[in-house]
């Protein structure tokens, strides 16, 4: 019998937002404080420049904060990079690693993503490890194999202390308005769960599996109903409090 898993809805602001965007955080916090509060964990991953301010603004609310990337090293001569410890110091509880935009724009390999996830865990952060196939890979019938390889290489062996989150984000669905069919999402998430159970036995049961890629108020309820979908990683629709709140309410 599958364990009851608290859903997680995480917003990925990407390279969007200056100080003015914090007004959306206050608005969302106010909405989330109505009634008995959200049924899920709510995380916002703003650009690094806003992390400290957002963490402070969200303190005492239902919103947690996270980074969008971290360097695998603790510190050192890495101009422009940010360590997991620095994110934690700025109030983060989570960090996205291996997002497809980083894999593509910064040539990040599975091995590098795994080391970033390990750095996150060492700093007390929960890594949200992203995987997902391209459109050509889906059309070529190798989406399952691609995702399995990414999981094998990107997920650390050791994570018992803090846990990990996996986000399945088909690259062709990100920012395009396209989404896989519900059946395809269900099949992929079942497959990911099976791989985690095989590799980590019982520990794999509790890992939150998020779907990401054009999740919005109109499709969130249907996607979040799918067995083995334990939440969402939301880009565009997380920028506005009203849209993000509608998705959180669907979880
Ligand atoms: P999107 O982005 O919701 O704008 O498609 C999702 C993501 O990249 O995490």
């Amino acid at each position: 019998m599958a364990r009851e898993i608290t859903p997680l809805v995480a917003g990925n602001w990407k390279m969007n937002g200056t100080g003015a965007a914090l007004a959306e955080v206050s608005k969302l916090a106010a909405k989330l404080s109505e009634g008995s509060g959200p049924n899920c964990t709510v995380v916002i991953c703003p650009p690094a420049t806003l992390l400290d301010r957002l963490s402070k603004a969200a303190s005492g609310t239902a919103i947690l904060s996270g980074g969008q990337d971290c360097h695998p090293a603790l510190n050192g001569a890495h101009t422009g990079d940010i360590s997991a410890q620095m994110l934690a110091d700025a109030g983060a509880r989570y960090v996205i690693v291996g997002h497809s935009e980083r894999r593509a724009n910064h040539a990040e390999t599975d091995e590098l993503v795994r080391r970033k996830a390990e750095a996150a865990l060492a700093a007390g952060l929960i890594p949200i490890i992203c995987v997902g196939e391209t459109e050509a890979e889906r059309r070529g019938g190798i989406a399952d194999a691609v995702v399995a390889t990414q999981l094998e290489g990107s997920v650390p062996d050791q994570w018992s202390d803090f846990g990990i989150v996996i986000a399945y984000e088909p690259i062709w669905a990100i920012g395009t308005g396209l989404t896989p069919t519900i059946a395809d999402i269900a099949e992929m998430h079942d497959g990911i769960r099976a791989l985690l159970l095989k590799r980590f036995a019982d520990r794999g049961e509790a890992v939150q599996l998020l779907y990401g890629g054009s999740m919005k108020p109109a499709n969130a309820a249907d996607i979040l109903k799918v067995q083995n979908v334990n939440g969402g990683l939301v880009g565009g629709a997380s920028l506005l409090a009203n849209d993000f709140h509608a998705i959180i309410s669907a979880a």
Side-chain angles (χ1 to χ4, degrees):
M1 194 56 208
R3 215 184 278 180
E4 195 58 36
I5 298 177
T6 304
L8 168 69
V9 177
N12 172 13
W13 281 11
K14 309 191 180 187
M15 198 172 72
N16 296 295
T18 57
L22 295 175
E24 293 300 313
V25 177
S26 310
K27 191 168 159 188
L28 179 65
K31 283 173 166 288
L32 293 174
S33 70
E34 289 163 11
S36 55
N39 289 324
C40 60
T41 303
V42 178
V43 179
I44 295 178
C45 301
T49 47
L50 279 182
L51 184 58
D52 185 61
R53 276 181 284 170
L54 189 145
S55 301
K56 288 188 177 117
S59 163
T61 76
I63 303 167
L64 301 173
S65 66
Q68 297 180 6
D69 175 50
C70 66
H71 193 278
L74 194 58
N75 52 36
H78 303 288
T79 303
D81 279 313
I82 297 173
S83 74
Q85 192 184 51
M86 291 168 184
L87 297 175
D89 183 54
R93 300 276 297 279
Y94 290 80
V95 59
I96 299 167
V97 293
H99 189 282
S100 59
E101 286 152 16
R102 297 227 35 111
R103 289 178 184 262
N105 300 347
H106 300 272
E108 294 195 0
T109 61
D110 289 333
E111 203 252 327
L112 178 61
V113 173
R114 178 181 51 72
R115 290 196 290 126
K116 289 181 175 207
E118 286 167 352
L121 291 162
L125 299 177
I126 298 176
I128 300 174
I129 303 167
C130 302
V131 295
E133 81 285 356
T134 64
E135 190 177 10
E137 289 162 346
R138 160 97 19 207
R139 270 196 271 109
I142 57 168
D144 293 350
V146 166
V147 168
T149 302
Q150 289 174 335
L151 283 173
E152 182 63 33
S154 310
V155 177
D157 289 325
Q158 302 294 331
W159 44 266
S160 52
D161 287 357
F162 300 102
I164 55 168
V165 176
I166 307 287
Y168 167 60
E169 299 202 303
I171 295 167
W172 51 273
I174 293 175
T176 58
L178 304 172
T179 52
T181 63
I182 293 295
D184 284 344
I185 294 174
E187 192 191 329
M188 183 62 83
H189 279 245
D190 287 351
I192 293 172
R193 178 71 69 203
L195 287 171
L196 291 176
L197 289 172
K198 193 165 157 214
R199 181 162 163 202
F200 298 108
D202 290 356
R203 276 195 304 154
E205 264 181 33
V207 174
Q208 288 154 319
L209 307 185
L210 313 186
Y211 168 80
S214 297
M215 188 182 265
K216 41 186 181 263
N219 61 23
D222 285 340
I223 295 172
L224 292 167
K225 258 196 284 213
V226 175
Q227 162 127 16
N228 280 320
V229 172
N230 314 113
L233 182 55
V234 185
S238 72
L239 294 170
L240 294 175
N242 285 345
D243 287 353
F244 198 40
H245 183 254
I247 294 173
I248 292 164
S249 303

